[in-house]
Amino acid sequence: MVRCDTNSDAALRAAVQERFRREEMRRRPTSDFYVPAAARTAQWLGLPGNPPEAVAVCRDKSALRERLRTAGVRQPRYALVREPDGAAAAVARTGLPCVVKPADDSGSTNVLLCADEAEVRAQIERILAIDTNVRGMPTARTVLVEEYLEAPEYSVEMFSQDGQAVCVGITAKSVTATPHFVEHRHLFPAPLPAATAQQITETVTAALDAAGIRLGATHTEVKLTADGPALIEINPRPAGGMIPELIRLATGVDLLGEQLRAALGLPPHLKSEDSGHAGIHFLLADTDGTLTAAHGARAAAAVDGVESVLVTAAPGTPVRRPRSASDRLGHVIARHPEPEGVHTALDTARALIRLDIEAAPRS
């Protein structure tokens, strides 16, 4: 392990020069916040990787919106706001309700569905007041106000080699009730007609080309509207939310291993060895307070089709109704030959788990 300030390119380069030879170095970023730094360092070393400009565009959702608009890729109507006074014009462009979110955060943090202009302005003010993110990096201080698309959500797991993207599969997503958008269940692969899956894949391929992505795994979110797929965001790294594990269980493809192969300059092995389905259900609090105990994990793990059960929050942990991915308290993973079997296993296991929460006192 090498300690250095990963928020500083100079510190990263110094650590590399002091401890490694060039031929020992590879890059495999999995964190949204450090993908740009990894890309810049890889370019400096002359290693395989995505162009720094491409990952920077993906990380800055406002820049990606502009790039997709130029390329003609379908996406929600949007407005970029850097001052609270921009709320009225943004609402006039996107309509109500609308989604308000930071341009450069992760995990649905500070993403909110707003019903009126006053809510939009308040959320803009809240986001602009944040100077640094959870990794201590300065924020872009840019707010994205978007048209709300009430439609099913999917993520598309792609893998690129020399700029040619291959679809590993499409994940069906379930999110919590508005006004927050926290993903609480994934199913891979999504049970979609072949023509629909192809349409989604073509939209994502066009978006990756527009962004300039050339190498490795990407995780792209889309909404499937009545008018076709609409691009929400591109994450230039492997999916989170245990989706690589679902892909491994359902198809035998080790997406993280293939990401390592790409970093070594080797061709990926993406051929499916199985044709099953896998899913995950995240444990969430139904009230604000303190977790005092979790019961039933062993019984849940014994349910037919369940692969693993994990409670990640320890007793004494402050919890809240979910507002971002960081509010997840654990998960259940299941596998079955059919999608319905996955959902049945997840539902049965979740019903056996009880989270005891001591409610927070009312202020």
Side-chain angles (χ1 to χ4, degrees), residues 170-173 185-191 246 277-280 339 342-343:
I170 299 174
T171 307
K173 305 202 151 195
R185 181 172 290 194
H186 305 321
L187 176 68
F188 182 93
L246 303 186
H277 294 262
I280 185 169
V342 174
H343 286 303

Side-chain angles (χ1 to χ4, degrees), residues 110 145 174 196 256:
N110 285 316
V145 181
S174 299
T196 303
L256 298 181

Side-chain angles (χ1 to χ4, degrees), residues 333-363:
I333 294 177
R335 175 173 58 174
H336 193 273
E338 300 297 332
E340 296 79 7
V342 174
H343 286 303
T344 297
L346 293 176
D347 290 341
T348 303
R350 178 62 187 93
L352 294 170
I353 299 172
R354 188 179 85 245
L355 302 176
D356 291 345
I357 299 173
E358 181 179 327
R362 293 184 178 181
S363 55

Side-chain angles (χ1 to χ4, degrees), residues 102-315:
D104 59 341
D105 217 315
S106 179
S108 299
T109 301
N110 285 316
V111 179
L112 189 70
L113 182 67
C114 297
D116 56 43
E117 185 182 322
E119 286 188 6
V120 172
R121 184 183 180 96
Q123 183 66 3
I124 290 172
E125 290 175 344
R126 189 175 296 115
I127 293 170
L128 291 177
I130 300 171
D131 295 320
T132 56
N133 62 30
V134 294
R135 295 290 185 262
M137 299 171 170
T139 60
R141 298 181 61 79
T142 300
V143 180
L144 202 53
V145 181
E146 295 181 345
E147 173 191 10
Y148 174 51
L149 301 178
E150 192 169 6
E153 183 174 335
Y154 298 91
S155 67
V156 186
E157 323 312 331
M158 303 283 279
F159 204 98
S160 297
Q161 183 80 8
D162 297 326
Q164 299 298 311
V166 173
C167 182
V168 178
I170 299 174
T171 307
K173 305 202 151 195
S174 299
V175 299
T176 55
T178 56
H180 301 286
F181 300 88
V182 180
E183 297 168 0
H184 66 84
R185 181 172 290 194
H186 305 321
L187 176 68
F188 182 93
L192 288 167
T196 303
Q198 181 63 26
Q199 186 182 26
I200 291 174
T201 301
E202 288 173 356
T203 298
V204 172
T205 300
L208 295 177
D209 287 344
I213 294 296
R214 298 194 53 78
L215 182 68
T218 51
H219 171 68
T220 304
E221 296 176 0
V222 301
K223 289 284 193 82
L224 183 58
T225 75
D227 297 322
L231 210 297
I232 302 302
E233 63 181 49
I234 298 173
N235 298 283
R237 40 84 179 162
M242 301 296 289
I243 289 174
E245 176 64 2
L246 303 186
I247 294 172
R248 187 188 68 80
L249 290 171
T251 70
V253 174
D254 180 1
L255 196 60
L256 298 181
E258 297 310 319
Q259 185 80 341
L260 281 172
R261 288 179 58 83
L264 292 168
L266 301 174
H269 296 157
L270 302 173
K271 185 177 180 180
S272 175
E273 300 173 0
D274 204 344
S275 58
H277 294 262
I280 185 169
H281 185 93
F282 293 99
L283 307 179
L284 303 171
D286 58 8
T287 187
D288 298 350
T290 302
L291 180 70
T292 58
H295 308 277
R298 183 173 298 179
V303 171
D304 186 36
V306 169
E307 291 286 327
S308 64
V309 176
L310 179 65
V311 179
T312 54

